[in-house]
Structure formats: C-alpha cells, structure tokens
Amino acid sequence: MKILFNMVFEFTADHRAAVQALAPELEIVISAEPDPDKLDGTDVAVLVTEPVPRNLEKWPQLRWVQLLSAGSNHLKDHPIWQTNIAVTNGSGTHGVPIAQYITVTWLMMMHRMTELLKFKDTHKWPNRAALANDVVRDLTVGIIGYGAIGRESARQLSSLGMNVLCLKRYPVDRVHRGFNPWPGSGDPEGTIPKHWFSHDQLADMLPLCDLVVVTVPSTKDTDGMIGPAELALMKPGSRMIVISRGGIVQEAALADALRKGPLAEAVVDCFVKEPIPPDHFFFDVPNLIMTPHMSGVFSAYWPVLFKLVEQNLGHFKNDRALLNTVSRQNGY
C-alpha cells in the first residue's frame, strides 16, 4: 500500500522519516503531476494533493484524500462525493497569516496608508489634517464565518479594543474543533464575540458594523450571499475585507457600493476569475485595495500543513476521526 504526495512542495528526509515512523507499511511516493488522472492510483491508500482524480475506478484502494488547500470548492460536483473516501482539508493552516492580513489591511485603511505612501513620490509636504487617521478602539467588527481564520481575526481585532460580532451557520456550537497549529491563537471556546448571529440574521448584523470581514467557505449556500440588498444595509462610511473565494460578495454590487455608498473602502483578495483579467472593472473602482490571492501565501505553509498530515496519519492508522473532514452535506 502507498501514500502519494502530489505537490510542488519539497518533501524532505525529515518528512519521510516522520511518515515512516507513523506508517512503516506505507510506501511513500512523491509526484508533482498537475493532472491527477495521469497518476498511477494502484495500491494508493492515502493521497495528499490539491487536484483530485476524477476516474476513481483506477484508485480501488483509496481511503483518504488530504487536500493541500483550506477550501474544497474546487471539488464541486466531483465524483468523490459519491464514494466513501474521506476528504480532509487544510483549514487552520492559514489562521494566523490571513488574520494578520486582515489586521494590517484594516489598519492601512484607517491610517490612510494608500494616500500617505504617495507622499514620497510627490516631494511635497501634504495637508496633514486632511490625512488624519481614525481610531479603531470601540468600533465594531462583524465576522462572517467563524472558523480558524475568523477566530484569530477576532482575537487580533479585539486586542485593538474592537467589539466583535460573528455570524456562523450553527451559532449554538461555539467551540472550534478543527486543526490549529498556532498555540495561543484563535478563540477555541468562542468567548470573544459579544453577539452571535445565524446565517438568516445577516441583515440584523450588517447595520451594526463599522467593519465586515468575510471569511466563509465557498458553498452553494454562500455563493452570492452578499449582494446589493445586503450592502445597502451597511453603515455609511463602513468598510469591508473579503478574503473568501470570489463570488461570495457579488463583485458588481461591491463596486457599486464603493462608487455610490455606503462603503467608504474595501479590500478584496480573491476573485471570481483568477488570474483576474486586466480589463476587470475592479481596477477602476475607487477606494479598493486589491491583492492577487495573497492573504494565505506564507513561507512556512508546507511545514505547518505537514503537522496536520502527521496528526491525521496517526488518526488514520488508529481508526480515529480525522481532523478537518469535509462535510458532504455542507461542502466544507
């Protein structure tokens, strides 16, 4: 039997030793094949990968797929959901890095950094009063999606003195049970938010927020969940940060809310089509910070994710429940 690592990351001698110690009976195979249906699935019991083969008849022994990504939306309508093969994602790996991105872009907006950074090129002393910053203490942030990223964002933003609200599919379930490789981070017991909202209470939460952070996974229920009607409910002068997959916040509606109000500014890291085309209307939208899907790109990604592979391999060997199992019903 085999464990196949299909990825571009370096698989070191230390990685090999760790896997062999946990599962000495599994032969380790390394690949970097972008088309998973070109891989030899014979005798592969465990597959660590981003793309997942569709012709699963050629993978008769496959019992578990560990995704390299936190999201699983690329598996929409994939035949794996018609099997009993376990699928786990990399949720939790990005918790601290993406929360840092959220914190820094929030402070960039409030400190007028996109305008201040132009000072050096002008060679002219500006009207400092016109560039005054705003204090974030006592402002309210609403976090849509309260997983690993949302919880660490809540911890960081609450440390700045902000009031935290959150929206979650099942708000009565406040404990985080997913993978967390960052000791002391997040909000594992769900004690930070001052109020919890369910998905059908989005319209109740939005008017209360000075900042809205969108961290929900991409599913059939979240696709397009924030459109013109929802954006119209936000406070005049409020701001939004979107690190979720493209399309959860409708792009045209967001552009309109930035041009006409109520939004004063926004940050978008993911787009419906990537790479985003050079003629996309976002490039001409005022007060919009755009980044090329970078919030979760950090130098230690694979070493951190490998900790999850190790833990889950131990669970797999001992027939224990795997961490980060993707729900076939919910899509994450």
Side-chain angles (χ1 to χ4, degrees):
M1 300 296 286
K2 301 173 182 176
I3 178 170
L4 196 163
F5 290 84
N6 184 42
M7 59 187 191
V8 297
F9 303 113
E10 180 186 5
F11 194 83
T12 66
D14 288 342
H15 295 143
R16 184 176 293 275
V19 172
Q20 289 178 335
L22 285 166
E25 77 284 2
L26 290 180
E27 177 187 349
I28 299 170
V29 180
I30 310 298
S31 173
E33 173 56 60
D35 181 356
D37 283 306
K38 292 182 179 179
L39 294 168
D40 181 5
T42 307
D43 295 330
V44 175
V46 180
L47 175 61
V48 181
T49 186
E50 180 67 19
V52 177
R54 296 188 67 86
N55 188 1
L56 294 170
E57 292 181 0
K58 294 185 177 181
W59 299 72
Q61 305 300 322
L62 187 60
R63 294 174 53 197
W64 164 40
V65 173
Q66 171 65 60
L67 298 175
L68 297 171
S69 60
S72 56
N73 55 299
H74 62 290
L75 296 182
K76 182 180 179 181
D77 300 323
H78 194 285
I80 198 167
W81 302 126
Q82 308 307 317
T83 73
N84 292 323
I85 299 169
V87 179
T88 56
N89 62 30
S91 178
T93 306
H94 304 85
V96 167
I98 294 184
Q100 286 182 180
Y101 172 97
I102 289 166
T103 299
V104 74
T105 54
W106 168 233
L107 293 176
M108 280 181 66
M109 289 189 285
M110 299 303 280
H111 281 267
R112 312 281 289 275
M113 290 305 296
T114 55
E115 297 168 83
L116 288 173
L117 290 173
K118 297 175 183 177
F119 161 59
K120 182 181 176 183
D121 293 331
T122 67
H123 294 240
K124 295 180 181 179
W125 197 255
N127 179 350
R128 294 168 60 244
L131 293 171
N133 64 59
D134 292 308
V135 174
V136 304
R137 189 171 189 83
D138 294 327
L139 296 184
T140 296
V141 55
I143 300 175
I144 301 176
Y146 208 60
I149 296 168
R151 289 168 188 264
E152 175 59 9
S153 298
R155 189 189 70 81
Q156 292 187 23
L157 296 175
S158 65
S159 73
L160 296 175
M162 296 187 70
N163 302 306
V164 176
L165 311 176
C166 76
L167 184 144
K168 188 174 181 286
R169 179 188 287 270
Y170 304 116
V172 294
D173 184 9
R174 301 189 175 186
V175 176
H176 184 239
R177 299 178 179 82
F179 173 65
N180 183 3
W182 308 96
S185 71
D187 180 23
E189 301 300 321
T191 59
I192 292 176
K194 295 185 179 296
H195 194 83
W196 295 64
F197 295 83
S198 60
H199 276 203
D200 59 358
Q201 295 176 310
L202 178 60
D204 297 323
M205 187 183 79
L206 290 176
L208 305 175
C209 302
D210 301 288
L211 169 66
V212 170
V213 176
V214 184
T215 75
V216 288
S218 176
T219 70
K220 59 182 177 60
D221 295 324
T222 63
D223 185 37
M225 69 181 291
I226 299 177
E230 290 75 23
L231 290 166
L233 296 172
M234 293 184 63
K235 284 183 181 181
S238 58
R239 290 166 171 83
M240 177 174 282
I241 299 174
V242 185
I243 59 87
S244 291
R245 292 292 191 266
I248 293 172
V249 179
Q250 297 173 30
E251 291 182 344
L254 180 60
D256 197 51
L258 285 165
R259 289 190 178 105
K260 303 175 184 177
L263 288 184
E265 204 167 1
V267 176
V268 176
D269 185 51
C270 300
F271 308 88
V272 172
K273 183 178 180 180
E274 295 183 0
I276 185 170
D279 61 349
H280 194 287
F281 54 81
F282 266 172
F283 286 107
D284 298 316
V285 173
N287 302 324
L288 175 62
I289 297 173
M290 297 167 58
T291 55
H293 205 146
M294 290 297 296
S295 62
V297 179
F298 66 105
S299 57
Y301 180 73
W302 171 238
V304 172
L305 181 60
F306 187 74
K307 295 178 183 178
L308 173 61
V309 176
E310 281 187 288
Q311 288 188 38
N312 262 344
L313 188 57
H315 286 211
F316 178 77
K317 280 279 298 175
N318 294 292
D319 293 321
R320 295 171 58 194
L322 298 173
L323 297 171
N324 292 359
T325 299
V326 179
S327 164
R328 282 160 163 74
Q329 178 181 354
N330 297 333
Y332 64 92

